[in-house]
Each structure stands twice: as structure tokens, then as C-alpha cells.
């Protein structure tokens, strides 16, 4: 089974993506146009990404020093070609309006299209950041900022970054120390936006420097000092700035002046090596502008609202990470399935014979392919249930994004709130379980999987990043239990429970699903009770001490729901299970209910009892 | 907390290692002599191993081609120096008799001493293979084989390998295809042992070629063809041979003739890169001996008994792997603890205030060190409970080895059988959970943990091997459920249950432990019931389909027992918990009972129901 049929099933049979045509924005679209986008993506991914996934790992980004002391990033040729093919495909602006050259493609289909690139080589492209950057400007930028910066990102001329973290401020953005001061008199009247000079260091900036594009548009979080010269503590003081690597005029032409943004170094990572990851120094005076140190930046939106602007894009960015983790998980699944079907090793167990205690095998028989061993099947089925389940969840969330943007007011609001609750799961769950899937893919390969002659060890290394970036696992868990399940009086959680119960009510009518429906109902009750118990004292320190186990249980419950709903769609499309793919989906669903869902008991126990073993553990006792 | 105090506590307070003095073999020993060995090991590990752990990863083994076409393995200088220091310390023969230059050190203390090297750099040394090789010869070799080969391994002149796997025969040793034929007339009268010529390819051979030592003693599994020229199917046809890289005389001097063993290539691994891993071609004619292709090998023991000889050493080899995994887990724990104590990031959660739903933090306060966050404590405590628990289990198993070798007949027999049952756990449990510990160590480091500037990503990569080599996870699980719990009428399982119940009976008297004692009692019952249920049909295919979940549950139960027993020793030594280390051990024990032991329910459920979701899943449905 390859990726495309699974994507097609989820899009058309499960999510009914064709119905989006009924929306005015998507009226010109049809399954044919969607398929054409998927075909193109699949082809470019196959030709320009997949063959070079190991190359970008081996030839990781390095720097050369130019005669003038500038550090230049060296990337493999394949990265240039992949980037060019992607930009030329129009996918960067696929979701945008026709009048700026977009295709008005639903986000659901865009996300599905991007899945092929992620599966082929997660680290070659960092196109999601460019899209996210430009999307943010389309919402919060001025008309000229959109025209000059966003459009030149969508058309592929320039690329974009998100500069949030600093060496001392990773998870804790309130500690951002980059300063932005007005750039002289008349700073407010620059047509590109109020002009500031920025000084500070930004860490972990993906695609922060390279020569893949003519220019790089940095979106930078920084603080404007108060009249006393001090920075406002906390996130409220954070503003957002456009800081181009090279200065441009109002027509989007390079002025020939380099901005004061200097590459300080590259991070040498465990994986995801195709994407340059940088430490950038803003305004250190390496490239003074008008004789002055300080990177020129243009304010986006209101001062002090920088994080608000940034978080506007956060849901989609987090779904993007969830999708990245998912596709790595599925890539490992396909690789290990292929290996298991072709590797002969061992024989079926027999006996014990004649009362002998030992299990015997008949060594005179030829070896069987390892896909015939139950334990290998178990490892394949686990990968399938993690990967396809995660893909379903992420496409469901993408569908909610479309609902939020094009549904009627009530539906849009409901989608917004469901997204708030589901996004931490869409990001964290694949990060954790598709990493486990990659470990199982290695295990199926045996010693060969531990070598660089097979792709699975790279998937595992690449995937390890996803629990860290765009908000760590711990941050997602605090967001879920500390904010999302509480917000708007708990209405998000109620909405989700309503959706889950609707699936349960349908499934309980179906003999093959009734037991699973009951198990899911019980799990939902348990999660609800644990949520209440966690907050019973009203003390965040009590509730959040076990936020991660809570998120793990919440995530497994959500995935069980997704699988049960996918099973309903499977039976609706193929009640007789005549297709092997249908049998496969039902098996993966059963696996999830038998092997995975029962795990929530152990996680919820510590949540329900507000277990303080960890929180109260004294530092000196470690 | 560093490693040494934990080792000391487990050796002296928990395992009462000093009592071994009462055995005649160890009569000259005392805590002073044990401590001296540990001191020396700690010092060499600190000076010669730890500083070079990253070097041997970055400068992984490579080959250069000599003018005569020979491939030469190039290793960093540090590897030579580490090897020399280790050999000079006398540790290679520490457990051997005085009369051959050994120290008659208990295996328990030897294992503890080796833990320091494993923590400092698991991949620099492969001394365990040399010891294992020589130990095997001491049991199964002739006097001259011991004299010539084993003794020159113990004294550090030569090193040893174990050549089991072949490209087509990894987990399935019955498919070994290397052939050994008598080396002409009079082959039986060679003083070094019946002389054969071997032809075949051996894969995954650790330290299979290098110039660290004057010679390399390969122990090779091969089959002697029957009169019809055919190999006997299965493991019964396997014999064991000494195949030196360079031929030697009966005085152990090199004859100047190279044996027909050729390095065919190096495996390029995900981790554990300090150890050369090779594909060796035996007898391909690259180095003909007496004008003839075929590697000269000397039979060890009886023909057809090769695997029997090899398995004699398997328990200790598997404990060695468990210890390797354990020490990588603890190395990551110490690194992430150090990081967490020094990295400021974020603030404690407060609120919700005034009925507001959101959790708030006071950004005007300075950041706290991340060791103060409950979720970071959770990740540290998990690592501590996995790593220290695994260390306790492995030292307990090492203590059983001493009992087996020096106890009275009844005690030795009991130790032997307990080892049979516990070895799959001692190998598999740390491989799985100390790998998870390493992942948590990365997580605590955030983005920094994903870079090669910190050691934790390497620990994680190195540790991934341990679920694969010396019998995969799946093989260990089949061994446990398919053989070990059944053997001798289930007496091994009964013996283990007896030990566990003895701990429960003591713990149930202690208020702080009574609830845990009950939980362990319940877990033991559940494992027992699941064992019966798994075999209820008598069909291995039914029982073994879920052998891995069974092993996971079995392992967690064993570890809970180990922790409860360690807690009893902790209270016995420090009833008032006056020492932070005592508080730490009690906390880690509670963590294991609260957060880990409850996981067994989900694993045992599929075992008890003989769940066939995986076994019956049709191949075409993947």
C-alpha cells in the first residue's frame, strides 16, 4: 500500500473534500483539480525530493568564509533544484486568492499535497515557513507589506523565516531580549511600515541564511523599550517586525544595500539536516546601514501585539509539524513493509510436541519472509495505526481550518474552538508515536536498519525534532490542560466530546464496531473525569504536574475516535470488505483499540490522583 | 548524584557483596580490594574513555587500501590509548584464576567495574567480546587452546570476536552456511585442535578487523558437511572453530603466515561508531595458506556442539548488553540533570486568578532553572527509575552468576535457573527503557539536545543498537515466553515468584511500602495468569503472537520488584531518610509504582486474550 490511496480515501471517502466545491471560494474546484494538484506534488516529490533525502543528510549545510569575512552557506545542488521545482509548481501560493496568482485551493488539499514532499524528504524544503510567513503578512501586514514581501514569497522569488527563539529564550518567549528602537526622525512614515533598528541574537532559525532565493524575509519578535529604556517583562511587550536580509524598495526591488543581519553560525543537528538551522545576529554592526549598526525592521501590526500576530499562524504551523512527524512515520512504515516482504529469515513456530516443553521449528523447511512472523506483523500494524491515524487526524484538522475560514458563522466558530483543543494533539501525538513507529521500522530491519545503507535510521533521527520545535511536548501539554480545555468555559472540550459521542452513536449500531464504541465511550468518560480531578484544587501546580501523561491519554482517546470514525467510513464505502485496503483499515483500527487505547489507564491514574511524586521531589535527591 | 555512590549502595548495602569473601575463591578479597578495582576503573574511564566519546563518533572507523590490496582499518589514536590502558589494568582477566594471572574477582564486581567504561564511552572498547571469547575457551577449549589463545586474550596481546551472523542468517542461526572441511590428511592431529578449512561470509562482526592488537582470535560458527557434501539443516549441525587472523604456533608466536580471513567492508552505523563492525570473508582465497584457499580453523569442543558452546556464554553476553544500555541511560540522566540544574527558562505557573480561566505566570520574576519545573522533574525521575532500576537488576543478575559458579549445589542450581528466566529481561528491559530515558534526556535539553554540541543525542543513537544485537527484542520475548517460563516444568518462574513474594512479605510490614507490596503482588498474579492464558491452547502460534507485550509486562513487574527490594535496603540503611540519596531512591521507587507498573494492564490484556489481530492480519492488507 502506498501513500496516495490512503490520502485519497481520507480526503474523499472520509472527509468528503469534494463538498468544499459548494463554498463560493472553491466553486471552480472539483475532484479533478484536487487530483491534479496531488498528481503534481506526488511527481515532484518523487523526482526532486525522494532521491536526494540521503544526500541532504550526508552533505549537511556548512559555511565558507568569503574574502570580506561573510559566512556563506553551502548546500547540495539537489536542494536548489527541489526548491525551484516546488516554487515553479505554484504550491507556495496554492491557497491564495486568484487575484494575487493563487489557486484558491482548500487548505485540506494543500496539506494533503504537502504530505508527499514531507514523506519524500522532510528536510529538503522549508517551504512551510515561507508560506506561514507570507500568510501572516496577508492577515496582519499593510497593503504594501503584502505587495512587497508576501507576494514575493508566494511567487518563489524570496523565502521567509520565523525568528522567535533566542539563546536564553526558547520555550519562554516572554524573555525575548531583542530590542527595536525607532530609526531616527520620520521613522513612522516609511512606506514599508514604521521603521526600527533591531539588535539581538536569534537562535534555532530554520533557513535563516542561504542563497536559494534572491532575498530572505525574516519575521522577528522584538521588544520596543519604554521611555526609561527598559524592556517590558512578559509577552505583552513583544512586537513583530519584517527584517529583510537585503533591503528593498517599494517596488520589491533590491536596493543593493545589505541589512545588518549576520549569520553567526549553523547548528549541527542529529537529523533534519537538509534544512539550514542558524544563529543570527541582528544589528551587531557587521553590515551597517547608513553607517549605523542595527538591522532595519518594519513594524507589522500594532506595537506589543507581536505574539498575537505570530500565534495567528501557530495552529497551522503546529499542524504542519504534526504532518511532518506523520509522514516520517509513514515513510518508515512503507520502507519496513517493503523490507519485511522481501527478507527471508526464520520459520514458523511449532510444537511443543509430545509433551516436550520447548518450542520447535523445522529447520529443513525453507525460510519464510519476515512479514509472515506475528511479531513483525505487530510492528507493522503499530506503524500503520500510528501513521495512518495521525494522517487522518491532521487532515481532519486541516479540514477544520477550511471550515473556520469558509464555513458559516456558527460552523466557523465551532471549527475554531475545536482546532484550539485539537492542535496540541495534532502536533504532539504524531511527534511521539510516529517516532516510535520509526523505531519499530528500524527493529524490523534488524542490524541493517541500524546502518546508513537503509533509510529508516534517518527517519528516526529526523523525527526526533518534532517533539521539540514549535512548542515542546511539555508546552503542548500545558497548553492543552492549562488553557485549551478550560477556555470559554470548557466549551471546546464539550464540542469535541459531542463529536466523539456522535461517532460512538453511529458505531454502536454496527456489530463489528459496538465493542469499540463502548470502549471509546468509557475512555471519554475517564478523560473527562480526570480533567475535573486534575483541576479539583484549582491549583495549576497540582493540575499541570502531570500535564504530559494527561496529553498522552487525551491523544490516544482522540486517535481512537479518529480510527472509529475512519472505520465507519470504510464500512460505508466497502461493507463487504472486498478491498484489501478496507481489511487493512479495519485491522489497524482493531489494533488501536486492543493494543493502544488500554494504555490510557496508567496515564490517567496519576492525573486523577494529582500525583505529586515528581513535583515534590527535592532537587538534591536526584 | 554520580554513578559511584549508586554502584556502592547496590553492591554493598543491597547485594551484600562483601559476603562473597566467605567463598573460598574470593577469600583474599575484601571491600578494600573491590574498591581498589572500582577506583581504577573509574579513573581510566574518566581519563581515557570519557573525553574521547565524541571523537570516536565523529571519526568513525574507515578503511585505507594498502598497496597489496589489503583493506586496513583506521581508528582514532584515542582508541589505541583506551585499549592499552584497559589491558594494562588487568581487568581483562580480573575474574580468572590466580594461576593464570587473574585476580579471582567476583563477576559482580567485574560487572560493576565495567559499568564505568560503558558510561564513559560505550563504543570505544569491545573488551567484553574478548573476555567472552576467552571465557568460552576456558570452558570448552583444550589445554593448549586455553594456553595459546585464551591467555593471550586475557593478557591483552590479542583480542577476540564472536562470528555468528551471516548476511542471510541473523536471528536465524540454523541457516548458517559457512562450511568447514577437514584440512587434509592428519587434520585431526594438529596440536591446536582438529584443523579445518572454512569458507563463508560473516556479517555484523564487532571488532572484526583492526590493528589494536597483534592478532585477532575469531570464534566462528560453521557447519561440517556430511558425507554427501550437504550441510545439516538447523542448529544441530553447527560447530565452533578458532580462526586466528594470523596463524600462530603452539607457543603463541605468530608464524608470519596470514590466515585467509579478509575484511570485505565496514558497516556504517547510526551509532556505537567507536567499535568497528565488519563483514568478513572467510576462505575466499585472498590470503591462501599453503597455496590453498580456505581459512584455517581449529575445532573447539565436539562437532555439532558449536551453538551449545556459544550459548554457554550467552547469559553473560546478554547481561553485558543490558549493562551497556543501562549505562547509556544513566549517562544521559547525569547529563540532563546537570543541564536542568544550570539552564534558566520559564517560571512557575500561578492562578487561575479571579476566576479567569487562563494559567498565568509573573514575567517580572527572574527565570527559574528548569530542574524546578514539575515536568522536567518527571523526565528526570523517569530516567532515574529506569537507569538505576536497570543497574540494580543487572548487578543482581551478575550476583546470580557468582552464585551459580561458587554457591553450594542447591544455591548454584537455583541461581542458574533464575538467570535463565531473568536474562531476557536483563537484556531487553534496559534496551527499551534506557533508550526512552535517552530520549527524555534530549527532551530536557530542548533544541540544544538535538545538536551535536551536547552528548545526549549520541547516547540515544548508541543505545538504539541494544534492542537489536545479541538477540533482538522479538527473540528475547520468544525465549522468555516460549522457553524460559516453560523449562523444567515452570520451575524457573516459580523460583522467581518465590523471590518476589519474599520481598512482598517483608515490604508489606513497612507502612511506606505496604501499598506498593500489594500492587506488586497483584502484578505478579496478573503475569502468572497471563502466562497460563497465553498457553491455554498449547499452540505456540497463539501464545507467542504477543510475546513482546508479555515480555514488557514481565519486565515492568520484575523492575517493580527490584525497586521494592532496593527500597527495603534503603530503609534498612537509613530509616530516617536522612540522606538525600535515600530520599531519591524512595522517590524513584514511588515513581515506578505510580507511573510505570500500571502500564502492565494494557500489555497483559492482549496476552491473556491471545489477541490475534496481528497474527491473522493478511499481508496484502498492509
Amino acid at each position: 500500500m502506498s501513500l496516495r490511496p490512503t490520502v485519497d480515501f481520507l480526503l474523499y471517502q472520509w472527509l468528503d473534500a469534494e463538498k468544499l466545491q459548494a463554498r463560493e471560494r472553491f466553486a471552480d474546484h472539483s475532484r479533478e483539480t484536487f487530483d491534479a494538484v496531488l498528481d503534481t506534488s506526488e511527481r515532484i516529490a518523487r523526482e526532486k525530493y525522494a532521491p536526494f533525502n540521503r544526500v541532504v543528510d550526508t552533505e549537511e549545510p556548512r559555511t565558507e568564509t568569503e574574502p570580506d569575512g561573510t559566512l556563506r552557506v553551502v548546500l547540495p545542488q539537489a536542494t536548489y533544484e527541489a526548491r525551484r521545482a516546488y516554487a515553479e509548481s505554484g504550491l507556495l501560493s496554492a491557497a491564495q486568492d486568484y487575484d494575487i496568482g493563487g489557486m484558491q485551493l482548500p487548505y485540506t488539499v494543500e496539506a494533503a499535497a504537502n504530505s508527499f514532499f514531507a514523506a519524500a524528504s522532510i528536510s529538503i524544503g522549508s517551504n512551510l515557513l515561507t508560506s506561514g510567513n507570507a500568510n501572516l503578512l496577508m492577515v496582519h501586514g499593510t497593503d504594501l507589506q503584502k505587495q512587497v514581501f508576501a507576494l514575493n514569497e508566494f511567487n518563489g522569488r524570496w523565502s521567509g523565516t520565523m525568528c522567535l527563539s533566542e539563546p536564553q529564550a526558547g520555550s519562554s518567549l516572554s524573555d525575548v531580549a531583542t530590542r527595536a528602537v525607532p530609526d531616527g526622525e520620520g521613522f513612522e512614515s516609511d512606506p514599508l511600515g514604521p521603521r526600527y533598528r533591531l539588535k539581538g541574537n536569534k537562535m534555532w532559525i530554520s533557513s535563516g541564511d542561504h542563497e536559494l532565493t534572491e532575498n530572505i524575509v525574516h519575521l522577528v519578535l522584538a521588544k520596543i523599550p519604554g521611555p526609561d529604556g527598559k524592556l517590558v517583562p512578559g509577552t505583552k511587550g513583544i512586537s513583530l517586525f519584517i527584517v529583510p536580509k537585503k533591503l528593498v524598495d517599494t517596488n520589491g526591488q533590491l536596493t543593493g544595500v545589505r541589512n545588518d543581519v549576520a549569520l553567526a553560525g549553523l547548528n549541527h543537528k542529529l537529523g533534519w539536516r537538509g534544512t539550514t538551522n542558524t544563529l543570527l545576529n541582528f544589528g551587531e554592526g557587521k553590515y551597517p546601514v547608513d553607517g549605523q549598526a542595527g538591522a532595519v525592521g518594519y513594524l507589522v501590526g500594532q506595537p506589543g501585539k507581536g505574539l498575537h500576530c505570530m500565534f495567528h499562524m501557530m495552529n497551522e504551523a503546529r499542524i504542519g509539524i504534526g504532518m511532518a512527524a506523520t509522514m516520517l512515520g509513514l515513510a518508515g512504515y512503507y520502507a519496513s513493509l517493503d523490507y519485511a516482504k522481501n527478507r527471508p529469515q526464520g520459520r514458523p513456530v511449532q510444537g511443543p510436541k509430545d509433551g516436550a516443553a520447548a518450542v520447535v521449528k523445522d529447520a529443513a523447511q525453507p525460510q519464510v519472509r519476515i512479514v509472515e512472523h506475528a511479531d513483525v506483523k505487530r510492528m507493522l500494524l503499530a506503524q500503520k495505526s500510528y501513521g495512518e491515524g495521525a494522517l487522518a487526524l491532521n487532515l481532519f484538522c486541516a479540514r477544520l481550518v477550511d471550515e473556520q475560514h469558509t464555513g458559516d458563522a456558527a460552523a466557523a466558530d465551532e471549527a475554531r474552538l475545536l482546532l484550539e483543543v485539537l492542535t496540541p494533539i495534532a502536533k504532539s501525538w504524531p511527534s511521539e508515536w510516529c517516532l516510535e513507529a520509526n523505531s519499530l521500522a528500524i527493529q524490523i530491519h534488524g542490524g541493517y536498519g541500524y546502518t546508513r545503507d537503509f533509510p529508516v535510521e534517518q527517519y528516526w533521527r529526523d523525527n526526533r525534532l518534532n517533539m521539540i520545535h514549535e512548542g515542546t511536548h511539555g508546552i503542548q501539554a500545558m497548553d492543552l490542560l492549562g488553557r485549551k480545555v478550560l477556555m470559554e468555559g470548557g466549551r471546546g472540550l464539550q464540542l469535541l466530546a459531542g463529536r466523539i459521542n456522535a461517532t460512538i452513536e453511529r458505531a454502536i449500531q454496527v456489530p463489528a464496531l459496538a465493542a469499540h464504541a463502548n470502549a471509546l465511550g468509557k475512555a471519554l468518560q475517564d478523560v473527562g473525569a480526570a480533567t475535573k480531578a486534575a483541576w479539583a484544587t484549582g491549583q495549576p501546580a497540582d493540575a499541570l504536574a502531570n500535564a504530559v501523561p494527561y496529553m498522552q491519554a487525551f491523544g490516544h482517546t482522540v486517535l481512537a475516535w479518529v480510527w472509529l470514525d475512519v472505520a465507519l467510513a470504510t464500512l460505508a464505502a466497502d461493507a463487504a470488505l472486498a478491498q484489501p485496503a478496507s481489511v487493512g483499515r479495519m485491522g489497524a483500527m482493531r489494533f488501536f483499540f486492543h493494543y493502544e487505547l488500554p494504555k490510557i489507564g496508567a496515564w490517567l491514574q496519576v492525573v486523577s490522583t494529582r500525583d505529586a511524586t515528581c513535583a515534590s521531589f527535592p532537587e538534591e535527591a536526584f
Side-chain angles (χ1 to χ4, degrees), chain A residues 100-342:
Chain A
I100 64 161
M103 303 182 203
Q104 297 195 179
L105 196 69
Y107 179 68
T108 311
V109 181
E110 189 190 11
N114 277 315
S115 73
F116 295 103
F117 299 96
S121 178
I122 192 62
S123 76
I124 278 190
S126 59
N127 302 308
L128 289 177
L129 284 172
T130 296
S131 297
N133 175 312
N135 279 331
L136 186 156
L137 291 176
M138 293 304 289
V139 175
H140 296 288
T142 64
D143 284 348
L144 196 62
Q145 287 175 338
K146 293 180 201 176
Q147 187 71 35
V148 170
F149 297 105
L151 267 57
N152 279 312
E153 295 186 72
F154 285 133
N155 68 21
R157 254 181 91 197
W158 302 345
S159 57
T161 74
M162 299 282 201
C163 300
L164 285 73
S165 297
E166 301 182 0
Q168 83 296 345
S171 291
S172 175
L173 287 175
S174 58
D175 294 289
V176 156
T178 298
R179 302 168 73 92
V181 298
D183 187 20
E185 288 194 20
F187 78 94
E188 283 179 300
S189 54
D190 194 299
L192 290 175
R195 202 176 63 246
Y196 287 75
R197 290 293 187 118
L198 279 72
K199 294 191 183 180
N201 309 311
K202 290 291 178 179
M203 185 64 167
W204 311 120
I205 310 308
S206 285
S207 304
D209 204 5
H210 56 74
E211 296 177 358
L212 293 168
T213 51
E214 184 193 60
N215 203 1
I216 301 174
V217 181
H218 302 293
L219 281 177
V220 183
L221 293 184
K223 289 184 174 178
I224 302 168
D228 59 355
K230 289 188 179 159
L231 300 183
V232 179
T235 56
K236 291 198 174 65
I238 298 177
S239 303
L240 180 67
F241 300 87
I242 297 168
V243 182
K245 175 181 175 182
K246 300 172 182 173
L247 295 177
V248 302
D249 64 22
T250 53
N251 295 315
Q253 298 304 313
L254 303 191
T255 64
V257 176
R258 166 127 196 191
N259 202 356
D260 195 8
V261 183
L263 174 64
L266 302 183
N267 290 308
H268 295 101
K269 293 170 295 178
L270 168 59
W272 205 297
R273 290 186 183 154
T275 302
T276 310
N277 189 274
T278 61
L279 172 60
L280 296 179
N281 290 350
F282 287 83
E284 65 173 355
K286 187 158 187 179
Y287 306 103
V289 178
D290 296 333
Q292 230 190 308
V296 172
Y298 308 100
L299 182 69
V300 179
Q302 296 300 309
K305 296 286 185 191
L307 214 55
H308 170 78
C309 296
M310 208 52 116
F311 271 100
H312 190 94
M313 291 298 124
M314 206 57 99
N315 281 346
E316 287 167 51
R318 288 178 173 174
I319 293 171
I321 299 304
M323 192 65 106
T326 299
M327 300 322 298
L328 284 165
L330 284 172
Y333 169 54
Y334 299 134
S336 60
L337 176 57
D338 184 60
Y339 185 83
K341 283 182 171 177
N342 289 291

Side-chain angles (χ1 to χ4, degrees), chain A residues 44-53 56 76-89 91-92 117 120-121 123-127 212 274:
Chain A
I44 299 174
R46 185 177 58 242
E47 293 174 357
K48 301 292 183 183
Y49 281 65
F52 307 104
N53 191 43
V56 299
Q77 188 58 29
T79 304
Y80 287 81
E81 287 170 16
R83 156 87 201 176
R84 185 177 311 125
Y86 190 90
E88 283 172 1
S89 74
L91 280 165
L92 279 163
F117 299 96
S121 178
S123 76
I124 278 190
S126 59
N127 302 308
L212 293 168

Side-chain angles (χ1 to χ4, degrees), chain A residues 542-621:
Chain A
D542 292 344
L544 300 182
N546 294 297
V548 167
Y550 176 82
M551 181 172 72
Q552 291 174 305
F554 198 107
H556 258 51
T557 303
V558 166
L559 264 288
W561 161 56
V562 166
W563 267 118
L564 193 62
D565 210 67
V566 166
L568 282 165
T570 301
L571 292 173
D574 181 12
L577 299 181
Q579 301 298 321
S582 306
V583 174
R585 271 189 278 280
M586 296 302 286
M589 178 275 299
R590 272 201 308 280
F591 178 90
F592 201 86
F593 274 91
H594 291 190
Y595 287 74
E596 294 296 328
L597 187 59
K599 291 180 179 173
I600 70 170
W603 291 318
L604 290 179
Q605 182 167 312
V606 291
V607 177
S608 300
T609 56
R610 295 183 300 283
D611 195 296
T613 305
C614 302
S616 66
F617 193 86
E619 179 179 337
E620 66 276 13

